Structures are given as C-alpha cells and as structure tokens.
C-alpha cells in the first residue's frame, strides 16, 4: 500500500525517479540493520542458552506463572516460552532495547512451536506483540542522552509523563487484544 | 529523585545479569562456553533470516517517504491535530515513530535541538520518543524470525496502542508542562 501511494505521488509530481532511489535506499538500509543485529543477537542468545541450561529460564517462568496464565491462557504453564517472554518484557522495561530483541525472537520461536509452525499468527503471539510494542520503559536512556547533549536544565523530567502515557497505551493495547481475540474466536477459525 | 534511582538501575542491569547467569551456570556445572557458542550460532541464523522481511518493509517505507507521499499525508492530518491542540511540528515524529526507530530518533533530536529541550515541543518530542515503539519494525522482525506472514489483528492493536500513547503523551505534557 505504501509503495502504490508513493509511486502515485511521484508520478503526479513528475519525479518518478524518486521511487527507484527510495527502493534502493530502503533495501540497503534493511541489510545494514539486519547485519547490525548479528553481534548483539549472538551475544544475548549465547547468554540465554547458558541461563536456559542452568534452569534459570524455567525458574523465571514458574515465578511469573499467575500473571502469565491470565495474559497467555493458550500457553501451558511451565512452557519455556513464558520465561523468554518475561526476559523480553523486563529488558524492555529497563530500556535495554538491544537485549530485548533476541529474547523476543526466542519467545516467538517457542510460541511458533506451540502454533504448529503455521504461517498465521497465534493468539499468544498477538498478545505478546501488543504488550511488546506498547511496553513500559522506566529509563528512556537514549532520549535522555539527547536532552543532556542539548543542555536541558532537567533532562529526566520527561520520565514522569512517559510512564503515565505508556501506562495508558498499554492498557488500551491489552484491552484491544482481548476484545479482538474474543471477536476472532467467535467468527471461528482464524 | 526518581532519576537518581533509575539511572544506576539501567547502568547496573547488564553487568549484574551477566554475573548471575554465569555464576549459576558454573554452579550447575553447565558447559558455559559450549552453551554460549551454540546459542550465539542461532543468533546469527536468525539475523540472516530476517533480511528478506526487512527489505520488503523498509523498501515500502522508504518509497513512501522519498516520493513525498508522507508529506502529503501529514498535510491531511494537520487540521485535525490543530483542533486537538497538538503543535504541527510534532506530527512528522508521530508518523515516523511506528515506521523507523532511527528515523524517529533523528526527527526527535532535530526537534529538541531546534526548539530547545525545555520547550513544550522539546518535552513532548522526548516523551513521545520514550512512549511508543517502532511497531512496524517489531512486527516485521518478530514475525519474520518465525516465518509468520499473516499477522491477523496484531498490527491493528500495535497501531492503536501507538495512537493512544501519542494522544496520552500530548495530554500529560499539557497537564505537567503548560
């Protein structure tokens, strides 16, 4: 949809070459992003494997079972997916974006096993992503450093409204996910 | 006061986490090095598997932006946001935020530097940057990593959360900073 609108606009303005430029730029950026992820992914998934073999992931899953059972009724308790979900959300809350991604990938892989490797998203995946994209950040470290660099008188004053606004967003996301899940179930199948 | 507590928290988390995992691993007699290498190998293959999905998404977004279609979309939204009391300067950030993390950070940094970090726009931009996530990016790589191509309602929920967080940021900034 984005592509068609973009091409339409470029054609209307007689600047069709911008479509080509945009496409090539986007493709190059995508590979750069993916390659940039390799190092961090390898680091954290390596660490996670140690944690998993030491039984830490299962321990975490057990500890958060009551809350997780409410949010993810379709995942059996004690399933490793829950441990990875918690790791991902904790990393998000602590503002460790680069660590959150590999944990999230592991969580998705475990959920995909439960999903029977179908190409259609499962309910648990939708809930997980709703939580993930709306997730609370206690320390928005990057933006604070931008504010410090711009000589702000109080660089951390935005933490308060950030937490409040995220809480509202998260509530809406969880509610919307629940409503849609019920609706899709009633419609049957997918 | 809050910041005095939160700042060390974010700096200590990773070192403490690494120490605990390694110590428990050693205590439980896990072959730490072997486990790390096999996990890390997986990280490499996941990152490579993401490339086709990322190319598809980022090409689409890049075309949308480069051709000026994004600017036109912004023009349509402006009367609405004016009515809601949202400064027009902030709109490009609101549109960019779910699409591209580095793009949004660039826009936010520019807004903060032009208008000053302690201006209303600077504060609102900072809040928005910390509040919402790059929904398209997260969905693409998370679903891409496991080969899911039908997202069902996940995109809708994510974007709804983004819009809500955006409006909530405006509301709370009005409340606290004006």
């Amino acid at each position: 949809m984005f592509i068609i609108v973009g091409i339409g606009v470029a054609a209307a303005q007689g600047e069709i070459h911008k479509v080509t430029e945009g496409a090539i730029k986007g493709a190059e950026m995508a590979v750069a992003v993916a390659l940039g992820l390799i190092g961090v992914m390898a680091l954290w998934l390596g660490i996670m494997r140690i944690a998993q073999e030491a039984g830490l992931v299962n321990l975490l899953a057990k500890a958060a079972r009551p809350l997780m059972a409410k949010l993810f009724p379709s995942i059996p308790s004690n399933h490793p997916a829950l441990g990875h979900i918690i790791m991902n959300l904790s990393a998000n809350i602590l503002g460790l974006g680069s660590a959150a991604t590999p944990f999230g990938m592991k969580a998705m892989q475990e959920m995909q096993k439960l999903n029977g490797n179908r190409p259609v998203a499962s309910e648990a995946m939708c809930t997980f992503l709703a939580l993930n994209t709306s997730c609370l950040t206690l320390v928005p470290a990057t933006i604070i450093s931008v504010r410090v660099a711009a000589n702000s008188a109080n660089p951390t004053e935005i933490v308060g409204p950030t937490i409040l606004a995220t809480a509202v967003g998260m509530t809406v996301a969880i509610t919307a996910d629940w409503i849609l899940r019920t609706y899709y179930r009633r419609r049957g199948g997918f | 006061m809050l910041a005095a507590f939160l700042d060390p928290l974010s700096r200590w988390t990773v070192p403490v986490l690494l120490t605990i995992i390694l110590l428990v691993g050693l205590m439980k007699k896990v072959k730490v090095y072997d486990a790390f290498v096999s996990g890390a190998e997986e990280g490499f293959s996941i990152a490579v598997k993401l490339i086709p999905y990322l190319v598809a998404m980022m090409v689409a977004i890049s075309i949308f932006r480069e051709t000026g279609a994004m600017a036109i979309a912004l023009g349509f939204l402006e009367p609405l946001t004016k009515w809601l009391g949202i400064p027009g300067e902030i709109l490009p950030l609101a549109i960019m935020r779910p699409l591209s993390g580095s793009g949004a950070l660039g826009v936010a940094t520019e807004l903060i530097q032009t208008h000053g970090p302690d201006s209303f726009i600077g504060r609102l931009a900072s809040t928005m940057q910390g509040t919402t996530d790059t929904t398209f990016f997260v969905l693409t790589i998370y679903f891409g990593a496991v080969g899911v191509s039908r997202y069902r309602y996940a995109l809708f929920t994510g974007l709804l959360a983004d819009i809500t967080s955006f409006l909530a940021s405006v509301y709370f900034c009005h409340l606290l900073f004006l």
Side-chain angles (χ1 to χ4, degrees), chain A residues 25 49 57-58 71 108 110 116 144 147 165:
Chain A
K25 217 190 244 178
R49 181 64 62 94
V57 176
N58 282 333
L71 285 170
M108 289 300 281
E110 294 295 336
I144 290 177
R147 292 172 60 79

Side-chain angles (χ1 to χ4, degrees), chain B residues 28-77:
Chain B
K28 291 264 178 82
K29 303 214 170 14
V30 173
K31 286 181 183 149
V32 175
Y33 183 72
D34 291 348
F36 181 84
V37 172
S38 69
E41 214 181 315
E42 202 182 348
F44 183 81
S45 54
I46 291 181
V48 172
K49 218 170 131 191
L50 290 178
I51 292 180
Y53 296 92
L54 273 174
V55 169
M57 181 203 56
M58 293 184 86
V59 164
I61 290 172
S62 178
I63 290 179
F64 189 65
R65 190 170 50 186
E66 295 289 318
T67 53
M70 190 190 245
I72 293 176
L74 287 178
F76 277 120
L77 284 171

Side-chain angles (χ1 to χ4, degrees), chain A residues 108-126:
Chain A
M108 289 300 281
Q109 284 184 338
E110 294 295 336
M111 283 187 270
Q112 183 63 343
K113 278 184 209 159
L114 287 173
N115 193 22
N117 286 317
R118 294 185 308 156
V120 185
S122 69
E123 285 175 359
M125 290 176 180
C126 292

Side-chain angles (χ1 to χ4, degrees), chain B:
Chain B
M1 160 210 74
L2 186 66
F5 165 73
L6 290 176
D7 187 47
L9 182 73
S10 70
R11 269 186 295 140
W12 278 85
T13 317
V14 173
V16 169
L17 200 65
L18 288 180
T19 316
I20 292 176
I21 290 175
L22 285 174
L23 279 182
V24 175
L26 286 173
M27 274 185 335
K28 291 264 178 82
K29 303 214 170 14
V30 173
K31 286 181 183 149
V32 175
Y33 183 72
D34 291 348
F36 181 84
V37 172
S38 69
E41 214 181 315
E42 202 182 348
F44 183 81
S45 54
I46 291 181
V48 172
K49 218 170 131 191
L50 290 178
I51 292 180
Y53 296 92
L54 273 174
V55 169
M57 181 203 56
M58 293 184 86
V59 164
I61 290 172
S62 178
I63 290 179
F64 189 65
R65 190 170 50 186
E66 295 289 318
T67 53
M70 190 190 245
I72 293 176
L74 287 178
F76 277 120
L77 284 171
E78 216 184 322
L80 178 69
T81 52
K82 247 197 199 120
W83 179 71
L84 287 168
I86 302 164
E89 293 90 334
I90 212 85
L91 262 190
L93 179 60
I95 299 280
M96 190 63 100
R97 192 69 188 98
L99 298 177
S100 148
S102 53
L105 185 63
V107 177
T109 308
E110 196 197 298
L111 281 174
I112 290 169
Q113 274 164 0
T114 343
H115 298 273
D118 302 320
S119 66
F120 181 68
I121 289 175
R123 284 161 163 168
L124 182 55
S126 313
T127 307
M128 279 172 52
Q129 186 68 19
T131 305
T132 54
D133 209 329
T134 46
T135 301
F136 279 98
F137 180 76
V138 169
L139 259 59
T140 306
I141 62 170
Y142 280 32
F143 279 136
V146 293
V148 167
S149 53
R150 287 174 59 190
Y151 297 180
R152 294 171 80 201
Y153 49 86
L155 182 63
F156 177 79
T157 322
L159 290 180
L160 185 70
D162 283 339
I163 295 171
T164 317
S165 304
F166 168 58
L167 293 177
S169 303
V170 174
Y171 174 74
F172 286 118
C173 282
H174 265 284
L175 207 67
L176 293 166
F177 298 135
L178 272 188

Side-chain angles (χ1 to χ4, degrees), chain A residues 73-95:
Chain A
S74 55
I75 301 180
S77 54
N78 282 336
H79 194 274
L82 293 179
H84 294 298
I85 292 175
I86 296 167
M87 289 299 286
N88 169 267
L89 295 180
S90 323
N92 259 331
I93 291 171
L94 294 168

Side-chain angles (χ1 to χ4, degrees), chain A:
Chain A
M1 189 190 85
F2 284 129
I3 298 185
I4 302 198
V5 174
I7 293 177
V9 170
Q13 293 175 340
E15 297 193 52
I16 197 74
H17 63 279
K18 287 204 171 156
V19 176
T20 321
E21 279 167 25
I24 291 169
K25 217 190 244 178
E28 277 172 356
M29 229 157 68
V31 175
V33 169
L35 291 182
L37 276 174
I38 292 179
V40 197
M41 292 273 264
L43 169 66
W44 284 107
L45 288 181
I47 295 291
M48 264 317 254
R49 181 64 62 94
I50 300 175
Q52 205 173 355
E53 288 188 13
L56 284 171
V57 176
N58 282 333
L59 202 72
L60 204 62
K62 222 176 266 178
R65 199 192 307 171
L67 176 66
M68 287 290 140
K70 281 223 173 65
L71 285 170
F72 299 96
S74 55
I75 301 180
S77 54
N78 282 336
H79 194 274
L82 293 179
H84 294 298
I85 292 175
I86 296 167
M87 289 299 286
N88 169 267
L89 295 180
S90 323
N92 259 331
I93 291 171
L94 294 168
L96 312 169
S98 59
T101 311
F103 297 152
M105 307 266 113
K106 274 313 272 185
M108 289 300 281
Q109 284 184 338
E110 294 295 336
M111 283 187 270
Q112 183 63 343
K113 278 184 209 159
L114 287 173
N115 193 22
N117 286 317
R118 294 185 308 156
V120 185
S122 69
E123 285 175 359
M125 290 176 180
C126 292
T127 310
F128 173 57
L129 287 169
L131 281 177
N132 188 293
T133 53
S134 67
C135 191
L136 185 69
T137 308
L138 277 184
V139 194
T142 322
I143 200 70
I144 290 177
S145 61
V146 171
R147 292 172 60 79
V148 170
N151 294 319
S152 166
N154 187 356
T156 51
E157 68 183 348
I158 49 109
V159 172
T162 303
I163 292 178
L164 290 174
T166 317
V168 175
M170 217 167 162
T171 314
V172 168
I174 295 172
T175 319
D177 176 68
W178 182 79
I179 292 172
L180 286 165
R181 181 166 64 202
T182 320
Y183 171 73
Y184 271 67
R185 263 192 207 162
R186 204 167 293 162
R187 244 183 38 176
F190 306 127

